[in-house]
């Protein structure tokens, strides 16, 4: 009897022992977000925050690839894992060729098989660095330049492109809307760094998979995935974080919890942040100081002395983020996930507009962005099959709501102008993956996107409280896109992989213009056009230590509602008006990458690229109803419009090095150089606005059993006045002045230190000191000065 009971409990234990636990070989800590992949049988899973993953679907696999950032890739059979009692230790290493990426085709691929360059930012890096916003998170890569017009901002620049020539996705859903503008944007701050488990940046055109706007690159954010139980008992995990930063008196609190059963799981995430006015450094150009601010006293705008000119008033704001996800996995073939996201900021000042002067007085009594709101409902259905159509299928249905507004009032004027924009966005994606013959894999799918834009203007007399309708920023409009794509990958040998693809995109716009306030010579704009784009590239691995990549691709950006229908003041004395005759702009791009590992201790990575942008949409002088100037906002202003009037040439390179040193040390550097030019009205060339000076970051890391430390330097080159874009030269309020009194962007650097200590299995503390030497610097193109010396303290509890 005892024998049979023992056999029963042994078999019961084995039934639930098909859970692998993966730990760091040096620290023994469980590793989260480790990916396990098998081709036969076809299976994929990731570990939870306890380092555990269910691997029943891998039974019988001869090769299971086990990967995670910062560790050597392991290859094990199911039998080997079983004989090791489903326990595995991974060796730390920064030198790796074979990271797993998703952004290239929306499916898991090994980076060395992808001809385009992709970099990934893990949740572990985010926890160490403590970025305040998702824009700051992107800068952790050392390969994305961030511009900020105000503290509540962050506009990435990648390969000489920015704003609506870059694409954002959240859980595979397109975030770009029909009012993404050519000027700097801040939509990325709607994302919560605490709820993001992985970020990938795809460099160069991603048109075949992502469509319009993906010219310079694609930023893919994957939020927390609900984790299922692998033990037969409910899985309850989560974390709580509190953080303080001194430069802006940041106070942030975060909490997330995951509850998982065998087939059902849910995850809830909430973050609340409050940021005060941002303090700049003490060593740098005096032009950056803010000696005054405007305060309304007794119904009059007063110029008030700033008690501390290094404090940038007004720049503070607050933000709340919420996320709820529910997952249902009835069997190994199907997986259903629903996600709800919500983000809202407080009203916040556009700092660079508060620097503008007119007649020796501030230009504005107030200039604020109203609360920025973003909401998304997303249903994702993933399936596996062995039929003629697919091995894998993914269906994404999403509804998003965006709201933003601009609130401005001239100095000592009672008239406040509020411009409110709302966008309802719907999208549907169906993506298939099909492998044939062992060497061929096809990726194909369909996409539908619809944006409904509503714009409203309100003028208010703040003395009487009377409100009347005012001119809207945009026409009432609908923008739509329909697309089909096909991409294929052929493995010629273990050394050579070829990838090519085509996409057809039909895009439409229907806009209705209000002529009540402006005498537009048209009342409607309609277009219905198509575009074909494609790419071809290969990877070559002569041995395990070399990777050579080459890729050629085309891309396009369809004109959106912001391009065709906006009315706004681009700069003092100029007003941009609608242009209903816009057409798409097209890009041709080539890039080459080479990577080499030396003795498993050093990796050198180089990438060079060139992009030609034709028919580029740029602001140029224009006439409206025969007039080259109109009366706008109390000023006679030169009429401009976005037009297909330029050709841009962008080229550059990136170099990266990673070195594994003895005794737990490692070092790395990323350096980026980019240069761009675009044609002007007179046929001359001007430097491209969104190609920043060279920039980079160098790091020295140390890791012991419970302690991790990093010393790093961030730096950027100078942009002399003669090398400034023509449209930037006149912005005297944000740039420093050289010996001749001309605007320029000085070079800068910061020295920084971060550390994290694991107090116990549940508790950790991290701290940092950024900008140790208290440099006063303003990154190229930015309106607000970067933080001065900044002390950061974060306490983290996990369960």
């Amino acid at each position: 009897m005892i024998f049979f009971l023992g056999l029963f409990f042994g078999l019961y234990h084995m039934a639930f022992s098909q859970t692998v636990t993966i730990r760091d070989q040096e620290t023994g800590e469980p590793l989260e977000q480790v990916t396990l992949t098998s081709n036969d049988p076809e299976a994929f899973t990731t570990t939870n925050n306890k380092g555990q993953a269910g691997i029943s679907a891998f039974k019988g696999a001869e090769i299971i690839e086990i990967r995670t950032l910062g560790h050597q890739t392991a290859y094990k059979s199911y039998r080997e894992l079983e004989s090791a009692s489903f326990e595995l230790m991974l060796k730390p290493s920064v030198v790796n060729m074979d990271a797993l990426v998703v952004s290239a085709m929306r499916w898991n691929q090994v980076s060395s098989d992808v001809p385009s360059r992709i970099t990934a930012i893990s949740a572990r890096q985010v926890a160490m660095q403590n970025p305040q916003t998702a824009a700051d998170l992107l800068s952790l890569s050392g390969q994305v330049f961030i511009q900020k017009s105000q503290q509540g901002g962050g506009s990435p620049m990648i390969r000489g492109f920015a704003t609506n020539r870059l694409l954002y996705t959240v859980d595979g859903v397109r975030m770009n809307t029909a009012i993404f503008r050519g000027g700097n944007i801040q939509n990325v701050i709607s994302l919560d760094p605490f709820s993001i488990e992985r970020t990938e940046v795809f460099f160069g055109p991603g048109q075949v998979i992502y469509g319009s706007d993906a010219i310079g690159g694609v930023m893919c954010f994957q939020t927390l995935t609900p984790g299922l139980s692998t033990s037969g008992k409910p899985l309850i995990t989560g974390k709580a974080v509190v953080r303080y930063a001194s430069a802006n008196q940041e106070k942030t609190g975060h909490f997330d919890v995951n509850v998982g059963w065998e087939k059902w799981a849910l995850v809830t995430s909430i973050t609340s942040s409050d940021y005060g006015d941002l303090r700049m450094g003490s060593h740098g150009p005096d032009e950056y100081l803010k000696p005054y601010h405007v305060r309304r006293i007794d119904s009059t705008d007063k110029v008030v002395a700033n008690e501390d000119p290094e404090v940038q008033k007004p720049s503070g704001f607050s933000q709340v983020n919420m996320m709820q996800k529910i997952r249902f996995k009835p069997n190994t073939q199907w997986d259903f996930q629903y996600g709800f996201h919500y983000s809202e900021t407080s009203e916040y000042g556009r700092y660079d507009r508060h620097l503008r002067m007119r007649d020796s007085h501030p230009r504005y009594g107030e200039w604020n962005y109203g609360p920025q709101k973003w909401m998304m409902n997303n249903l994702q259905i993933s399936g596996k099959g062995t039929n003629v159509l697919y091995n894998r299928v993914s269906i994404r249905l999403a509804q998003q709501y965006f709201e933003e507004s601009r609130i401005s009032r001239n100095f000592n004027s009672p008239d406040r102008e509020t411009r409110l924009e709302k966008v309802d966005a719907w999208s549907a994606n169906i993506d298939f993956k099909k492998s044939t013959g062992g060497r061929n894999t096809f990726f194909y799918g369909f996409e539908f996107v619809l944006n409904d834009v509503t714009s409203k203007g309100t003028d208010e007399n703040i003395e009487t409280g009377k409100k009347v309708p005012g001119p809207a920023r945009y026409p009432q409009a609908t923008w739509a896109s329909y697309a089909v794509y096909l991409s294929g990958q052929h493995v010629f040998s273990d050394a050579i992989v070829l990838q090519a693809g085509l996409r057809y995109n039909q895009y439409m716009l229907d806009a209705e213009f209000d002529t009540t306030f402006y005498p537009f010579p048209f009342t409607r704009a309609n277009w219905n056009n198509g575009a074909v784009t494609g790419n071809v590239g290969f990877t070559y691995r002569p041995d395990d230590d070399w990777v050579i990549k080459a890729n050629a691709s085309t891309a396009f950006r369809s004109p959106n509602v912001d391009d065709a229908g906006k009315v706004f003041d681009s700069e003092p004395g100029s007003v941009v008006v609608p242009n209903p005759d816009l057409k798409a702009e097209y890009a041709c791009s080539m890039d080459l990458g080479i990577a080499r590992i030396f003795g498993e201790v050093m990796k050198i990575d180089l990438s060079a690229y060139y992009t030609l942008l034709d028919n580029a949409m740029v602001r140029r002088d224009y006439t409206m109803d025969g007039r080259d100037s109109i009366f706008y906002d109390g000023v006679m202003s030169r009429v401009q419009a976005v037009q297909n009037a330029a050709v841009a040439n962008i080229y550059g390179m990136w170099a990266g090095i990673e070195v594994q040193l003895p005794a737990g040390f490692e070092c790395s550097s990323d350096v980026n150089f980019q240069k761009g030019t675009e044609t002007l009205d007179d046929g001359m060339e001007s430097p491209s606005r969104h190609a920043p000076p060279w920039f980079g970051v160098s790091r020295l890391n140390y890791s012991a059993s419970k302690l991790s430390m990093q010393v790093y330097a961030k730096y950027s080159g100078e942009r002399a006045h003669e090398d400034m874009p023509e449209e930037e030269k006149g912005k005297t309020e944000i740039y420093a002045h050289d010996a001749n009194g001309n605007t320029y962007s000085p070079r800068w650097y910061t020295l920084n230190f971060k550390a994290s200590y694991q107090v116990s299995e549940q508790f950790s503390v991290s701290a940092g000191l950024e900008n140790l030497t208290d440099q006063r610097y303003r990154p190229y193109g930015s309106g607000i000065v970067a933080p001065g010396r900044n002390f950061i303290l974060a306490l983290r509890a996990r369960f």
Side-chain angles (χ1 to χ4, degrees):
M1 182 67 178
I2 295 175
F3 171 78
F4 285 109
L5 284 174
L7 180 62
F8 172 79
F9 284 114
L11 292 172
Y12 178 87
H13 176 73
M14 288 177 63
F16 287 102
S17 292
Q18 294 173 356
T19 298
V20 67
T21 301
I22 303 177
R23 300 179 182 274
D24 184 285
Q25 182 174 301
E26 295 184 358
T27 67
E29 294 294 322
L31 294 177
E32 187 177 3
Q33 290 300 306
V34 179
T35 62
L36 295 89
T37 308
S38 167
N39 291 325
D40 186 18
E42 188 168 344
F44 173 81
T45 190
T46 60
T47 58
N48 58 29
N49 70 350
K50 294 185 178 181
Q52 297 177 337
I55 57 170
S56 301
F58 291 79
K59 193 168 184 176
E62 292 297 324
I63 300 177
I64 302 174
E65 297 180 353
I66 304 168
R67 307 174 186 274
T68 188
L69 290 175
H71 290 77
Q72 287 185 359
T73 300
Y75 298 89
K76 299 288 183 180
S77 68
Y78 185 88
R79 186 180 296 275
E80 287 176 310
L81 292 176
E82 186 177 35
S83 64
S85 302
F86 297 104
E87 296 277 344
L88 180 66
M89 310 295 280
L90 291 185
K91 183 179 179 181
S93 175
V94 297
V95 180
N96 199 326
M97 289 281 200
D98 299 322
L100 198 69
V101 295
V102 179
S103 55
M105 289 292 165
R106 295 187 188 270
W107 301 102
N108 296 312
Q109 290 180 283
V110 179
S111 59
S112 58
D113 290 340
V114 178
S116 299
R117 191 166 69 82
I118 300 171
T119 191
I121 304 168
S122 67
R124 183 182 292 256
Q125 292 172 275
V126 174
M128 177 71 168
Q129 290 294 327
N130 281 299
Q132 292 188 344
T133 68
D136 299 328
L137 183 157
L138 287 168
S139 71
L140 299 183
S141 66
Q143 301 166 45
V144 178
F145 191 91
I146 301 296
Q147 179 277 350
K148 292 186 179 183
S149 296
Q150 62 281 327
Q151 185 177 195
S155 188
M157 297 183 185
I158 300 175
R159 288 192 168 186
F161 294 101
T163 62
N164 53 18
R165 292 182 180 128
L166 302 176
L167 190 80
Y168 304 79
T169 71
V170 183
D171 293 342
V173 177
R174 176 190 181 96
M175 194 182 189
N176 292 41
T177 72
I179 64 170
F180 264 41
R181 55 191 180 273
N184 299 305
I185 59 176
Q186 60 266 10
N187 298 75
V188 72
I189 71 168
S190 292
L191 306 180
D192 179 12
F194 286 107
S195 70
I196 296 172
E197 65 183 17
R198 182 180 174 87
T199 302
E200 292 183 12
V201 182
F202 179 103
F203 294 88
Q207 289 280 313
V208 170
I209 303 301
Y210 297 102
S212 178
D213 302 4
I215 294 178
V218 181
M219 292 154 284
C220 301
F221 300 91
Q222 175 62 49
T223 60
L224 297 172
T225 301
L228 299 167
S229 173
T230 60
S231 65
K233 299 178 180 179
L235 172 70
I236 302 176
T237 61
K239 65 178 179 289
V241 183
V242 292
R243 185 175 65 206
Y244 168 81
S246 63
N248 57 359
Q249 302 297 303
E250 179 209 11
K251 295 172 283 291
T252 289
H254 167 80
F255 176 78
D256 67 67
V257 60
N258 182 103
V259 181
W261 295 271
E262 183 180 354
K263 295 183 178 181
W264 288 88
L266 57 87
V267 62
T268 302
S269 174
I270 301 174
T271 302
S272 178
S273 298
D274 182 79
Y275 309 101
D277 293 325
L278 182 63
R279 176 185 292 274
M280 66 181 76
S282 58
H283 305 295
D286 289 342
E287 297 96 320
Y288 295 169
L289 294 171
K290 183 72 184 299
Y292 68 90
H293 63 278
V294 175
R295 185 182 300 168
R296 193 156 182 86
I297 303 173
D298 296 330
S299 300
T300 303
D301 291 331
K302 300 287 187 181
V303 178
V304 179
N306 196 350
E307 298 87 352
D308 186 345
E310 293 178 356
V311 176
Q312 302 174 83
K313 296 183 179 181
S315 60
F317 74 106
S318 60
Q319 182 169 343
V320 62
N321 286 81
M322 295 181 286
M323 183 187 76
Q324 179 66 60
K325 282 189 170 183
I326 301 173
R327 181 182 183 187
F328 174 54
K329 190 174 183 180
N331 49 50
T332 57
Q333 277 71 46
W334 292 98
D335 195 342
F336 300 81
Q337 292 189 44
Y338 164 76
F340 170 79
H341 302 259
Y342 182 79
S343 172
E344 182 175 350
T345 70
S346 65
E347 186 176 298
Y348 54 95
R350 177 164 173 178
Y351 185 76
D352 60 343
R353 293 297 175 98
H354 285 273
L355 300 176
R356 289 186 176 178
M357 304 291 290
R358 186 168 69 178
D359 299 330
S360 301
H361 287 91
R363 173 72 171 81
Y364 297 101
E366 55 182 300
W367 208 116
N368 300 324
Y369 283 111
Q372 178 174 294
K373 301 177 184 180
W374 171 64
M375 181 189 72
M376 180 170 76
N377 292 282
N378 176 25
L379 175 64
Q380 180 177 342
I381 304 170
S382 302
K384 295 191 297 184
T386 55
N387 55 60
V388 68
L389 292 178
Y390 63 84
N391 302 121
R392 293 287 184 97
V393 60
S394 175
I395 302 171
R396 292 180 178 86
L397 306 174
Q399 177 268 330
Q400 298 180 80
Y401 171 78
F402 301 82
E403 182 179 313
E404 59 186 55
S405 57
R406 293 157 180 82
I407 305 163
S408 63
R409 184 178 56 81
N410 290 336
F411 186 74
N412 268 329
S413 169
D415 299 322
R416 175 188 290 149
E417 300 175 349
T418 300
R419 305 295 179 255
L420 174 66
E421 286 76 53
K422 300 178 181 179
V423 179
D424 288 294
W426 293 268
S427 62
N429 293 84
I430 305 177
D431 300 292
F432 299 93
K433 176 184 177 183
K434 177 64 179 178
S435 298
T436 62
R439 291 187 177 273
N440 299 303
T441 303
F442 295 95
F443 309 88
Y444 65 99
F446 309 90
E447 180 183 72
F448 161 74
V449 179
L450 176 66
N451 283 192
D452 187 21
V453 178
T454 302
S455 187
K456 178 182 178 182
T458 302
D459 293 340
E460 177 187 4
N461 187 305
I462 62 173
E463 294 177 353
T464 66
K466 182 180 179 181
K467 295 182 179 180
V468 297
R473 180 178 172 89
Y474 296 116
Q476 312 309 304
T478 299
W479 181 91
S481 170
Y482 307 84
V484 57
Y485 75 88
L486 170 66
S487 184
Q489 185 182 76
H490 178 70
V491 180
F492 285 98
S493 66
D494 291 341
I496 301 175
V497 177
L498 176 71
Q499 188 166 294
L502 282 173
R503 179 187 181 102
Y504 177 77
N505 219 120
Q506 191 76 12
Y507 59 92
M508 287 155 280
L509 182 140
D510 183 13
E512 183 177 351
F513 294 88
D514 183 358
T515 58
T516 302
F517 300 96
Y518 300 112
F520 300 134
F522 45 82
T523 59
R524 208 166 190 88
N526 299 90
W527 57 65
N528 186 346
N529 296 311
V532 177
T533 53
N535 77 291
V536 60
F538 73 88
T539 64
Y540 173 55
R541 294 195 68 167
D543 57 46
D544 290 341
D545 296 332
W546 278 94
V547 174
I548 300 172
K549 302 181 178 185
N551 191 57
S553 54
T554 60
F556 85 103
R557 186 174 75 83
S558 68
N560 61 22
V561 177
D562 183 89
D563 298 313
K566 177 172 59 180
V567 178
F568 85 114
D569 58 326
S570 61
E571 57 192 20
S574 297
V575 59
V576 174
V577 300
N579 177 7
D581 299 320
L582 277 175
K583 295 178 172 57
E585 56 186 16
Y586 290 88
C588 297
S589 183
M590 297 176 289
D591 55 271
L592 174 69
I594 302 174
R596 173 77 192 274
I597 288 178
F598 298 87
E600 296 188 358
V601 296
M602 182 170 68
K603 177 184 176 183
I604 294 179
D605 218 336
L606 301 172
S607 180
Y609 57 88
Y610 168 76
T611 302
L612 169 67
L613 183 65
D614 193 21
N615 225 26
M617 290 180 268
V618 293
R619 285 202 310 263
R620 292 289 185 264
D621 289 345
Y622 193 65
T623 60
M624 189 174 72
D625 203 20
R627 291 180 289 177
D628 61 7
S629 298
I630 62 173
F631 200 68
Y632 179 82
D633 198 18
V635 177
M636 183 59 69
S637 302
R638 184 175 66 252
V639 174
Q640 295 184 327
V642 176
Q643 303 172 57
N644 298 109
V647 174
N649 292 273
I650 310 289
Y651 61 91
M653 68 174 298
W654 163 79
I657 183 170
E658 299 170 306
V659 181
Q660 188 83 46
L661 300 171
F665 286 93
E666 60 190 47
C667 64
S668 63
S669 286
D670 294 280
V671 179
N672 307 265
F673 167 81
Q674 49 281 314
K675 188 175 180 62
T677 60
E678 66 178 47
T679 54
L680 301 176
D681 280 344
D682 59 5
M684 301 294 288
E685 290 189 340
S686 169
S688 175
R689 176 186 178 189
H690 290 136
W694 68 271
F695 68 96
V697 60
S698 297
R699 319 167 188 87
L700 176 64
N701 299 308
Y702 171 76
S703 295
S705 59
K706 295 184 177 182
L707 177 66
S708 296
M709 295 188 294
Q710 184 181 91
V711 177
Y712 63 101
K714 299 176 70 174
Y715 38 83
S716 178
E718 177 182 301
R719 179 61 57 85
H721 180 75
E722 56 269 22
D723 296 326
M724 294 273 285
E726 289 299 318
E727 58 188 305
E728 295 293 296
K729 288 181 178 180
K731 297 180 180 178
T732 57
E733 70 273 15
I734 66 172
Y735 287 106
H737 302 150
D738 62 20
N740 298 317
N742 295 320
T743 52
Y744 81 113
S745 181
R747 63 179 180 270
W748 56 266
Y749 77 94
T750 63
L751 299 176
N752 315 271
F753 172 76
K754 298 287 175 66
S756 177
Y757 184 73
Q758 193 72 36
V759 179
S760 66
E761 188 174 340
Q762 289 77 32
F763 296 98
S764 64
V765 57
S766 59
L769 196 57
E770 297 176 334
N771 196 357
L772 283 159
T773 57
D774 205 28
Q775 297 298 302
R776 181 187 302 149
Y777 69 100
R778 178 179 266 142
Y780 166 79
S782 293
I784 196 164
V785 182
R789 188 180 293 118
N790 186 29
F791 172 71
I792 302 169
L793 178 65
L795 306 177
R796 182 181 298 253
R798 299 169 64 93
F799 58 91

